[in-house]
Amino acid sequence: MVEEISQSTREQREIWLQEAHYNLFNLKSSQVFIDLLTDSGTGAMSDKQWGELMMGDESYAGSRSFEKLQKQVEKLTGFQFLLPVHQGRAAENVLFSTMIKENDIIPGNSHFDTTKGHIEFRKAHAVDCTIDEAFDIENLHPFKGNLDIQKLEKVYQSYPKKQIPFCLITITCNTSGGQPVSLENIKAVKNLSDQYGIPVIFDAARFAENAYFIKQREENYKNWSIKEICKEMFSYGIGMTMSSKKDGLVNIGGFIALNDEKIFRKASNFTIIYEGFITYGGMAGRDMAALAQGLDEATEFPYLESRISQVELLGNLLIEYGIPVQKPIGGHAVFLDALKFLPNIKREEFPAQTLALEIYKEAGIRGVEIGTILADRDPETRENRYPKLELVRLALPRRTYTDNHIRYIAAALKNVFDRSDEITKGYKITWESEILRHFTVKLEQA
Ligand code: F0G
């Protein structure tokens, strides 16, 4: 599919920003020239996926399209029990309703914001066990999504088993920069968790990109196919939640896949309450068929190579210009270090948000703040939580932009970087919601 994109002037963009209360989520897509807000559901489907849309089976129960999807998921992951849902956070809602209770502890590697939201909404706690290297943007550790086994063991020693329903491994780790988790680390987490009787679950939104990095960076797997690596990764868990909007190569959808029948039975009830009957869970038959095809395409090496090297091209151009970015470059996005990029903005004035707004003003490019606004307030103290990194994410939709767009983005960023000394004032919040505030927050210039 080819879409028109529209250019605008700086004056227009300044007015639109004011009308949007300096929240980039409030802009209309027609006000954005290049949209790097997210790689979620924003990619282009293939000819074969569009073909599948025409052949979807819309039966309420037991449709052919469900069967196709179930077979595909089982082939890639080894998980035989499938519950389709309408997107990734719905998978979290269903599975966490099944497995998490008040005061539980969920260790993992930098949980994504909706994941953390679904944990905290249940008055449980997410404990970040990511390796320290992930928080040093210059450190070239090849697997900055890895969990620190010592930090994890400390969690396992500090709480009784019944309070830790599972350990969550996010592949790739979005929050720390689209950074992969190695198979060696997945195995180590599984070994340790086995000793304490705690199961491992994957947040698998970008599992194929994770498998690509394993093939490229982990000697033992360099001759394995992506599909073989995927199956190996998932063999260390009892299940997964999936946002199909990423490595499913579709615009909407998600699922839970499990090898534990007891959990599957319980989760089936929550699927029926929240999503729909267990063989569609909020998805149209045709969408499940397109997803089955998308999962197959997303786990092919040539596709992943072209996708991830485009992200790398953007990262390398920025590095060439001296712009501070999270290194190595992640799978789905380039992450700018706003504290280094805009050293004159105080943390209370949201440097990452300020940078995202400057980039939009400069060139109509929309990125997203991954910093203090996203981190929400501490649910108990209601104080702002200042994360270790204050980032702006430029996420690349799959199969959408050309390398020419990438060069335009890099040039625009260089222009902002060259005048970063002059940017001295940030923003303050005028309205915010209790949880997941970044989507709807209202701001004004400080
Ligand atoms: N887990 C991860 C790692 C994610 O990145 C996301 C979504 C979800 C779960 C939730 O999935 O959106 O389908 O409900 N990430 C998007 C992003 C929103 O822009 O990174 P969802």
Side-chain angles (χ1 to χ4, degrees), residues 25 36-41 86-92 109-115 118 168 170-175 203-206 241-246 251-254 332 335 368 370 393 395 438-439:
F25 284 98
L36 309 181
L37 182 68
T38 179
D39 63 320
S40 183
H86 79 272
Q87 65 181 84
R89 67 201 68 183
E92 291 162 359
N109 52 339
S110 298
H111 312 62
F112 182 65
D113 59 335
T114 61
T115 319
H118 270 295
L168 189 70
T170 303
I171 49 175
T172 57
C173 187
N174 185 3
T175 310
D203 174 348
R206 299 177 183 85
T241 55
M242 177 71 188
S243 167
S244 308
K245 305 171 74 172
K246 285 83 168 174
N251 303 117
I252 192 75
H332 66 294
F335 290 69
V368 72
I370 309 267
R393 185 184 74 174
H438 72 291
F439 291 116

Side-chain angles (χ1 to χ4, degrees), residues 73 77 79-83 238-241 255-259:
V73 171
T77 67
F79 297 135
Q80 51 185 314
F81 300 110
L82 176 71
L83 291 167
I238 63 155
M240 63 192 277
T241 55
F255 59 84
I256 297 164
L258 294 158
N259 65 12

